[in-house]
Amino acid sequence: MPVIRTPERTAPVSRDEGRGPSVSRRFRWALLAALGFVIVPSVYAVAVLTPTGQRIEDAALGGVRESDLFGSDTALNVISVPVILLLVVVIAAVAFARRRLAVGLGAGFVVLASAATSTLLKRIAERPEIAQSTTPNSFPSGHATIALAALFAVLMVTPRRLRPVVLVVGAVYAVFVANQTVVYGWHRVSDIIGACAVALFWLGLVRAVGPAVDRGTRGDRDGRRGPRRVVTVVLLLAAAATVLVGVVALAVGTTGGDHEAMLLAGRMASSASVLAVITVVWLADGMHTVPRTTAPDGPAVRV
């Protein structure tokens, strides 16, 4: 009696195949890790260790006031040690359920390593008093680091067809966190940029040397390419819009001495930094171009 087997959904051969075990993709992630590694000390040297950098960043703090745009700090209070540990457990559970335990462990490592690095840097990267600033050291932002690292880790264990939705929701939350920290006067723009670089470094390192995230087999379908392209366009437009608004606000603030304009410029610069690193990660993942996997209603195969 013949046995009918339904063919698995397999992705078309990518351009990276045939060159070894994903050499090109791993090299891309290694470059991003190197980029994050370079950005952290560079931003610290320019924005924190120079009088000019400190004065420019502290100018935005003059626009901070109690009655700000956000009336609640709930988004910031969500980020805590118990929540981080719970997130790691959930990531591991999802990865185990999808038979991607090694990927789940790597994703959890991204969160824990990013949080630990941010805490360590804040202790050793001191802020010299060279620009009459009364605000203590805050480089880098721990809240922004964890928000981004959590997003990247969740994306690693999320099925590819669901990543556009997860990325949009996570990006909105990460931008909101970055904005709140700046509006409240907790952090400066360099703190957010440093946080982005820390999360990018650990994600790039894990993706470069760790297990492959994508398999392209049954249960890990790509879905339609249209939504993924829409996400790419939205990310690029959002990043461009925040940069444009930030430049205009900076011009108004520097020429007229408007502290509120400087605060708006700081908020937009922080938002643009978060959006930029999320966009880079999304593009490096290649999900915006991956074709749809084989249709599930293909002809049965007799074996």
Side-chain angles (χ1 to χ4, degrees), residues 4-11 97-100 159-161 213-223 293-301:
I4 305 300
R5 176 183 297 172
T6 302
E8 290 188 342
R9 304 179 181 97
T10 55
R98 301 187 61 238
R99 299 179 182 179
R100 306 285 201 282
R160 290 183 291 180
R161 64 185 180 278
V213 172
D214 302 316
R215 284 197 321 192
T217 56
R218 180 189 299 275
D220 201 16
R221 302 182 300 276
D222 293 317
T293 50
T294 305
D297 54 353
V301 177

Side-chain angles (χ1 to χ4, degrees), residues 8-285:
E8 290 188 342
R9 304 179 181 97
T10 55
V13 178
S14 66
R15 287 176 294 179
D16 290 342
E17 295 185 7
R19 307 178 188 176
S22 302
V23 173
S24 179
R25 175 165 293 189
R26 291 185 183 276
F27 183 69
R28 288 202 301 268
W29 289 111
L31 286 179
L32 290 183
L35 179 63
F37 186 82
V38 171
I39 288 177
V40 172
S42 300
V43 171
Y44 175 72
V46 173
V48 181
L49 298 183
T50 64
T52 301
Q54 287 196 10
R55 281 195 295 268
I56 292 176
E57 287 202 304
D58 290 342
L61 299 179
V64 175
R65 61 185 186 277
E66 295 183 0
S67 57
D68 50 61
L69 177 63
F70 306 113
S72 172
D73 57 357
T74 304
L76 299 179
N77 292 334
V78 166
I79 299 177
S80 60
V81 174
V83 171
I84 295 173
L85 296 178
L86 177 61
L87 175 65
V88 173
V89 172
V90 171
I91 289 173
V94 172
F96 179 80
R98 301 187 61 238
R99 299 179 182 179
R100 306 285 201 282
L101 184 57
V103 175
L105 294 176
F109 181 79
V110 169
V111 176
L112 296 177
S114 297
T117 301
S118 181
T119 301
L120 179 63
L121 286 175
K122 195 169 295 187
R123 293 181 179 274
I124 65 176
E126 298 181 354
R127 185 180 185 86
E129 299 179 2
I130 54 180
Q132 297 180 347
S133 174
T134 58
T135 304
N137 178 51
S138 57
F139 180 90
S141 168
H143 286 82
T145 300
I146 295 171
L148 282 167
L151 170 59
F152 297 154
V154 171
L155 284 174
M156 288 178 64
V157 299
T158 300
R160 290 183 291 180
R161 64 185 180 278
L162 300 180
R163 284 183 201 169
V165 176
V166 172
L167 183 130
V168 170
V169 174
V172 170
Y173 178 76
V175 170
F176 191 75
V177 167
N179 263 274
Q180 277 192 309
T181 58
V182 174
V183 168
Y184 290 161
W186 292 6
H187 288 289
R188 306 168 178 86
V189 176
S190 62
D191 302 335
I192 306 301
I193 298 176
C196 293
V198 169
L200 181 64
F201 168 74
W202 285 114
L203 174 68
L205 185 63
V206 169
R207 293 293 300 269
V209 303
V213 172
D214 302 316
R215 284 197 321 192
T217 56
R218 180 189 299 275
D220 201 16
R221 302 182 300 276
D222 293 317
R224 297 181 178 179
R225 189 185 299 181
R228 290 181 269 128
R229 288 180 170 175
V230 170
V231 169
T232 304
V233 173
V234 169
L235 286 174
L236 293 174
L237 291 178
T242 52
V243 170
L244 179 61
V245 175
V247 170
V248 174
L250 180 62
V252 173
T254 53
T255 56
D258 190 338
H259 290 293
E260 292 188 6
M262 292 298 294
L263 177 60
L264 177 59
R267 290 174 53 196
M268 292 299 101
S270 300
S271 300
S273 302
V274 171
L275 290 171
V277 73
I278 291 176
T279 303
V280 167
V281 168
W282 175 253
L283 295 177
D285 202 31

